[in-house]
Amino acid sequence: MLTGLSIRDVVLIDTLDLEFGPGLGVLTGETGAGKSILLDALGLALGARADSGLVRDGQPQAVVSVSFEVPHDHPALDLLRDNALEPEPGEPLVIRRIVKSDGGSRAFVNDQSASVGLLRDLGSLLVEIHGQHDDRGLLNPRGHRALLDAYGRIDTLACEGAYRDWRTAEAKLAATREEIELAARDRDYLQHAVAELAKLAPQPGEEEELAELRANMQKGARLAEDIAVAGQLLEGSEGGLSLLRQAARRLERIADEHEKLGEALAALDRAVIEAADAEDRLAEAAEALAYDPARLEEAEARLFEIRALARKHRVEPDALPALAEDLAAKLHAIEVGDESLAALETAAHDAHRRYAEEAARLTDARAGAAERLDAAVAGELAPLKLDAAKFRTVVESLDEAHWSAAGRDRVEFEVSTNPGAPFAPLIKIASGGELSRFILALKVALAEEGGATTMIFDEIDRGVGGAVASAIGERLHRLAEGAQLLVVTHSPQVAARGNRHLLIEKSHQGLVTRTSVHALGEDRRREEIARMLSGAEITDEARAQATRLLEAA
């Protein structure tokens, strides 16, 4: 709900602060008083194109701020969250727009810089402005299906789920078919590659193991003689280890005879242990570096085969086992492709059938809702002096290429304004106050389903009076019970229905002209309605008639 409008230096308005409440608010004033300035200022705050002509003469900039109370579940809050601009709980949503005299502009949401595009998106969620050139809201066919669904309380969730399942099944079928077709073109290659890899059967890490084995055997061939001589010098009855042990046994018999002999024995014992360890290490090295020409040739041949196959397939040697599994899986997919495709085709067909059933239910429900809506709108047309007009809701099937989660229907509101005239979109055949009255009839019939909670009607009563103006006022008052309405009007019958009355006046002080807006109390309101009834000179009869209108409202 719009709660406040603040204007600084916009055209004829230097300073203006207005507060708004729920229900029906009416704005009146003589022709040329500046009612359009208020709507231009509000439109500017809601993302309209910035025009330096809006800046008051002699001022560097114009500033417009609007504030809204937004329920916690309002879609505008989702948009603000997506842009990190959500107000604190309990705080109003404040939108501010600055237009400079050189044409530049800036936009703010909750005192944070924002794009004009975001302001437009917010404005479409917060306010509907219905004027003589409006092409949004009810006049936009893209929103008619959702409005009809809301009017008919039509639940689309089952259809949305069926649509997702169908599209998922179709996508899986298409992807599998493409994979099989691609693989089938390479059948001969796959068969050869799988057989080649299966024959070689490379194992993870095998290339590194073979390279290490070859390197060790090559070292062994070079070091074999030295290792053998070293082993001979240590081993046997005449080897170094045997001689050390013999010396230790001799010293052991005489070690107690002198301190130094004991130390010598201890040193010999350590030497024996170290020599024995060296002997073990030499044996291990000899085994690890054992040179076997046949085995070396075999290891080198397999290593070269693995590396050659890796180069052929442009992968690392360690990736060959995974490649073998992948190619085998592709070959298997070709061999069982017909079976898997048949299963997926069946699943896609079943999903399509379920979607078609759910979409058909929506079509039937929409057809029923369309009949009820047409009857409801028809009941509103005659009192609004549109008794020659006809309204219909078109529900027709779309091509399958345009089916969606919302079903397979195109919905559009159409009217015929004269007997025998063809039906056509509302915006193409209605104009002026007639257009606004059609919108009002729709709004009342739809009970404000799917629309913004703040609506502005600009001169909806243009060209009508008497009973028609009374009918318009009664319907605006009824519509305002569930929404906030602001109406710019020249009709006393409409003005009398308002919960609040704002008077727009123009004044002159020397060469300076200003527009001001005043909230009217009971007495001034009666006087303004009397002026609207009688013109420049307010008569007692006009005052009495104004009183009757207010009492009847």
Side-chain angles (χ1 to χ4, degrees):
M1 180 180 72
L2 176 66
T3 58
L5 171 64
S6 177
I7 300 174
R8 297 292 183 271
D9 296 319
V10 174
V11 193
L12 300 179
I13 300 175
D14 53 1
T15 301
L16 179 63
D17 295 293
L18 295 176
E19 294 182 355
F20 301 93
L24 177 59
V26 296
L27 291 82
T28 66
E30 295 182 354
T31 300
K35 295 184 289 296
S36 62
I37 299 176
L38 288 180
L39 297 185
D40 289 343
L42 180 60
L44 183 67
L46 299 178
R49 186 179 66 86
D51 185 349
S52 60
L54 291 173
V55 181
R56 191 162 172 261
D57 286 343
Q59 300 302 314
Q61 64 183 25
V63 183
V64 180
S65 298
V66 290
S67 59
F68 293 87
E69 286 184 0
V70 184
H72 68 89
D73 57 349
H74 197 284
L77 289 182
D78 295 331
L79 180 60
L80 292 172
R81 290 189 194 100
D82 292 342
N83 290 272
L85 294 171
E86 184 181 9
E88 293 294 328
E91 293 295 318
L93 166 60
V94 180
I95 302 173
R96 180 162 52 98
R97 185 85 178 274
I98 299 173
V99 179
K100 297 182 180 180
S101 58
D102 62 5
S105 74
R106 298 179 66 191
F108 300 87
V109 175
N110 296 328
D111 285 329
Q112 298 185 61
S113 182
S115 69
V116 175
L118 177 62
L119 262 58
R120 281 195 293 268
D121 292 341
L122 280 173
S124 66
L125 295 172
L126 295 167
V127 179
E128 289 182 16
I129 300 178
H130 297 294
Q132 296 184 49
H133 305 290
D134 181 54
D135 61 353
R136 298 166 296 170
L138 292 176
L139 301 185
N140 188 343
R142 285 182 293 183
H144 291 177
R145 184 171 60 194
L147 286 169
L148 181 64
D149 288 350
Y151 174 78
R153 302 292 194 273
I154 298 172
D155 188 354
T156 62
L157 289 178
C159 187
E160 291 169 4
Y163 180 80
R164 284 193 300 270
D165 293 344
W166 172 39
R167 287 308 186 195
T168 299
E170 288 283 356
K172 189 173 182 180
L173 172 61
T176 302
R177 183 179 285 127
E178 182 179 4
E179 288 177 3
I180 291 174
E181 289 175 353
L182 288 173
R185 291 198 292 266
D186 299 328
R187 182 191 297 268
D188 292 342
Y189 161 75
L190 286 172
Q191 289 175 336
H192 172 74
V194 169
E196 187 177 42
L197 285 164
K199 180 180 180 181
L200 185 62
Q203 301 300 314
E206 185 179 4
E207 188 257 356
E208 183 179 355
E209 293 175 1
L210 288 171
E212 184 178 359
L213 175 62
R214 183 183 67 164
N216 286 338
M217 292 185 74
Q218 289 173 338
K219 287 180 184 178
R222 186 176 70 251
L223 303 176
E225 183 179 353
D226 292 334
I227 293 173
V229 170
Q232 291 171 2
L233 292 174
L234 279 174
E235 298 171 358
S237 59
E238 299 300 326
L241 182 58
S242 177
L243 294 175
L244 285 172
R245 285 173 175 157
Q246 292 177 29
R249 283 195 294 272
R250 282 192 175 272
L251 281 176
E252 190 175 10
R253 291 196 296 268
I254 61 174
D256 294 337
E257 300 297 329
H258 193 277
E259 178 183 354
K260 293 301 181 181
L261 291 175
E263 293 175 358
L265 177 60
L268 276 175
D269 287 339
R270 291 193 298 272
V272 169
I273 294 172
E274 291 295 331
D277 186 55
E279 184 180 41
D280 293 338
R281 296 293 182 272
L282 270 175
E284 292 172 1
E287 182 179 356
L289 297 173
Y291 172 66
D292 182 344
R295 189 181 177 199
L296 175 59
E297 182 179 356
E298 178 185 340
E300 285 184 331
R302 183 163 179 80
L303 179 62
F304 293 152
E305 286 181 336
I306 289 175
R307 288 178 174 175
L309 199 56
R311 287 194 300 271
K312 179 178 179 180
H313 291 285
R314 298 181 181 179
V315 297
E316 293 297 322
D318 278 350
L320 286 174
L323 176 66
E325 292 181 5
D326 181 56
L327 296 180
K330 289 181 178 179
L331 185 60
H332 178 72
I334 296 174
E335 295 168 350
V336 300
D338 291 341
E339 294 180 13
S340 61
L341 273 181
L344 290 173
E345 285 171 350
T346 299
H349 179 271
D350 291 343
H352 178 277
R353 176 182 50 78
R354 287 192 295 272
Y355 169 78
E357 291 172 353
E358 294 298 337
R361 291 191 186 95
L362 285 186
T363 299
D364 292 342
R366 284 169 179 153
E371 290 183 7
R372 298 193 299 276
L373 178 59
D374 293 352
V377 174
E380 298 292 333
L381 295 179
L384 296 176
K385 202 178 179 181
L386 296 169
D387 46 315
K390 294 182 179 179
F391 172 88
R392 73 178 183 185
T393 304
V394 176
V395 180
E396 63 181 22
S397 294
L398 294 166
D399 294 337
E400 184 168 332
H402 296 95
W403 291 3
S404 70
R408 59 188 184 187
D409 306 315
R410 182 187 74 87
V411 177
E412 184 170 0
F413 301 147
E414 293 183 345
V415 297
S416 168
T417 54
N418 297 297
F423 280 89
L426 178 58
I427 195 171
K428 291 185 178 180
I429 62 173
S431 60
E434 188 179 53
L435 178 61
S436 294
R437 280 179 279 140
F438 266 115
I439 292 172
L440 177 59
L442 267 172
K443 280 290 184 183
V444 173
L446 289 168
E448 187 44 13
E449 294 292 346
T453 54
T454 296
M455 289 176 285
I456 298 174
F457 286 89
D458 184 12
E459 299 188 2
I460 190 174
D461 48 12
R462 177 184 289 269
V464 300
V468 176
S470 295
I472 292 174
E474 187 275 330
R475 280 153 179 77
L476 287 170
H477 184 78
R478 191 196 321 167
L479 190 58
E481 292 176 356
Q484 179 189 46
L485 265 68
L486 298 176
V487 180
V488 176
T489 181
H490 290 286
S491 169
Q493 292 89 341
V494 173
R497 287 282 186 173
N499 302 107
R500 280 162 307 285
H501 193 144
L502 298 176
L503 174 62
I504 304 171
E505 293 181 305
K506 184 188 293 183
S507 61
H508 305 279
Q509 296 177 349
L511 298 178
V512 178
T513 302
R514 287 186 174 87
T515 290
S516 57
V517 182
H518 306 283
L520 301 184
E522 184 176 349
D523 291 340
R524 287 203 63 191
R525 185 181 182 194
R526 181 179 292 104
E527 197 73 3
E528 169 62 8
I529 294 175
R531 180 198 66 76
M532 297 171 73
L533 286 164
S534 63
E537 183 179 349
I538 303 175
T539 64
D540 291 339
E541 182 182 351
R543 291 188 177 94
Q545 178 64 16
T547 299
R548 287 192 290 272
L549 286 175
L550 288 169
E551 290 175 350

